[in-house]
Amino acid sequence: MKLRIIRFNLFWKISPAIWLLVLLVGLFIPMGWGAPSGPALVIRQSVQIVPDVAGEVIDVPVQPNTPLKANDVLFRIDPTPFKAQVDALAAQLKFAELRLGQMTQLAQRDAGRGFDVQQRESEVDQLRAQLTSAQWNLDKTVVRAPADGFVTNVALRRGARVSTLALAPAMAFVDTSETVLGAEIDQINARYIRAGQAVEVTFKFLPGQVFTGKVQAVLQAISTGQASPSGTAVTPKEVQAAPFVVRFTLDDPAIAGRLPAGSTGQAAIFTDHVQAAHIIRRVILRQTALLNYILPF
C-alpha cells in the first residue's frame, strides 16, 4: 500500500469478509453433506440370562468380566427334583415296555387282544415323550453361555432361587462375538451417504489415533418414525429432526475388539460429493483426535 501497488479502497477493506463468505458458502457449508461428521458409539449386544427351569442355585463358577467361550458354565441349579423325575419316568417306561412285550406275545398266540397291544404302545410312546421332556429339564439345570463374551455385575450367589420369569433375569451376558459401531449424522447431511463409502473415526479410549473403515448401512428407521399397535387414535406429538444412525465397520477388526462397549468418539464419512472439502474434514478429525488427550467430553 505504501508503494501504491494496492490501493486502500473500499474493496480491499471488505475483501477478508468477502473471502470468508465465499469459503463459507462454497466450501464449509457443503462440507456438511460432502463429508458429514457425527458422534460415534461402540455397542455390543446384551443377553438377559433367564433359566429354562426354576430352582435353587448350587454353584456359580463364573467370574465377572472374565472372557468366556460359548457353552461355558454360568451357574448350576439343584438337579435333585429333576433327576428324580427322570428316574421315575425311566422306571415306568421300563415296566411299560415289559408289559408291551408280554401283550405282543399273547396277541401273536391268539391269546390276547390287539387293542391291548395298541394301548400299551400308546403308553410307551407317551412315557418316552415325557422322559425326553424330563431329561431336557434336567440338562437345563446347567446354564451355559450362549456365545463368546463375558458376564458383568455378577450378583447371583449360591443358595439363591432363580425363576423362569423373563422379568427377573439371573444375570446379564455381553456378547463379544460381534461389535456394532455406529455414528449419528444429522438428517440434513445424510442424503449422500451410501454403503461402501470411506469412514475415518477417532475414539476417546484411544486418543491421538484415527482409524479407517467402510459404511455398512444407513439404518432405515428410528424410534420417532415407528408406529406401535394401539387401540387409540393418533396422538400428535412434537416432531423433531432426530439424527440418522450410520453403521460402519473398521478395516482392522482387532481394533473393534479392543474397544469396550460404550466407547465414544467422532466419525467422518467421505461421500462422492464436495470432495474438495474432504481434506479439511480429515484435518479437523485429526485435531479432534489430539484433543482427546485432554478433553473429557
Side-chain angles (χ1 to χ4, degrees):
M1 292 181 182
K2 291 182 179 181
L3 297 175
R4 297 186 180 279
I5 297 175
I6 299 176
R7 295 183 178 275
F8 193 62
N9 52 25
L10 180 61
F11 172 78
W12 288 108
K13 290 180 181 179
I14 65 174
S15 61
I18 294 175
W19 279 109
L20 179 60
L21 182 62
V22 170
L23 290 174
L24 183 65
V25 176
L27 190 61
F28 289 106
I29 293 179
M31 182 176 63
W33 62 78
S37 177
L41 179 65
V42 177
I43 300 173
R44 290 195 175 92
Q45 304 294 341
S46 178
V47 180
Q48 302 299 315
I49 302 299
V50 179
D52 293 305
V53 295
E56 180 182 346
V57 176
I58 60 173
D59 186 25
V60 186
V62 67
Q63 296 297 322
N65 304 311
T66 301
L68 298 170
K69 295 294 184 181
N71 293 322
D72 283 353
V73 177
L74 300 180
F75 61 92
R76 293 182 176 88
I77 299 172
D78 187 0
T80 302
F82 304 98
K83 181 66 167 58
Q85 187 178 14
V86 168
D87 293 341
L89 289 171
Q92 294 178 31
L93 177 60
K94 183 178 180 180
F95 177 73
E97 290 175 340
L98 177 61
R99 295 295 293 170
L100 174 60
Q102 293 173 347
M103 290 296 180
T104 303
Q105 292 179 1
L106 291 175
Q108 291 174 350
R109 298 172 183 174
D110 295 330
R113 298 181 304 173
F115 173 79
D116 293 334
V117 175
Q118 295 173 354
Q119 186 178 21
R120 294 298 177 180
E121 288 178 345
S122 176
E123 292 177 359
V124 168
D125 292 340
Q126 291 178 16
L127 288 172
R128 285 174 178 169
Q130 293 175 17
L131 180 59
T132 300
S133 178
Q135 183 63 50
W136 183 85
N137 289 335
L138 177 61
D139 295 339
K140 290 301 180 179
T141 58
V142 180
V143 181
R144 301 181 181 275
D148 294 348
F150 62 90
V151 177
T152 184
N153 191 24
V154 180
L156 189 65
R157 292 295 183 269
R158 180 177 179 179
R161 184 171 181 84
V162 293
S163 67
T164 58
L165 297 177
L167 298 178
M171 57 180 60
F173 181 87
V174 180
D175 185 351
T176 58
S177 60
E178 181 184 15
T179 300
V180 178
L181 299 105
E184 291 186 348
I185 303 297
D186 291 334
Q187 293 189 19
I188 193 174
N189 296 329
R191 70 193 78 168
Y192 297 125
I193 298 177
R194 301 289 184 271
Q197 292 175 343
V199 176
E200 287 189 349
V201 60
T202 179
F203 296 99
K204 292 189 175 297
F205 184 74
L206 300 172
Q209 302 182 57
V210 176
F211 307 100
T212 59
K214 298 291 183 183
V215 173
Q216 188 176 17
V218 180
L219 301 189
Q220 296 300 303
I222 55 177
S223 61
T224 53
Q226 180 181 2
S228 301
S230 174
T232 61
V234 175
T235 303
K237 61 181 179 180
E238 184 179 359
V239 178
Q240 296 180 344
F244 288 147
V245 177
V246 178
R247 185 170 174 174
F248 62 91
T249 57
L250 296 180
D251 293 335
D252 186 358
I255 299 298
R258 289 175 53 193
L259 294 169
S263 298
T264 60
Q266 192 75 11
I269 301 170
F270 302 100
T271 70
D272 300 329
H273 295 73
V274 200
Q275 296 187 11
H278 289 186
I279 187 171
I280 300 176
R281 180 64 76 190
R282 295 180 191 274
V283 172
I284 294 175
L285 189 67
R286 280 153 180 79
Q287 291 176 342
T288 302
L290 294 175
L291 290 175
N292 284 341
Y293 279 109
I294 56 177
L295 294 181
F297 50 85

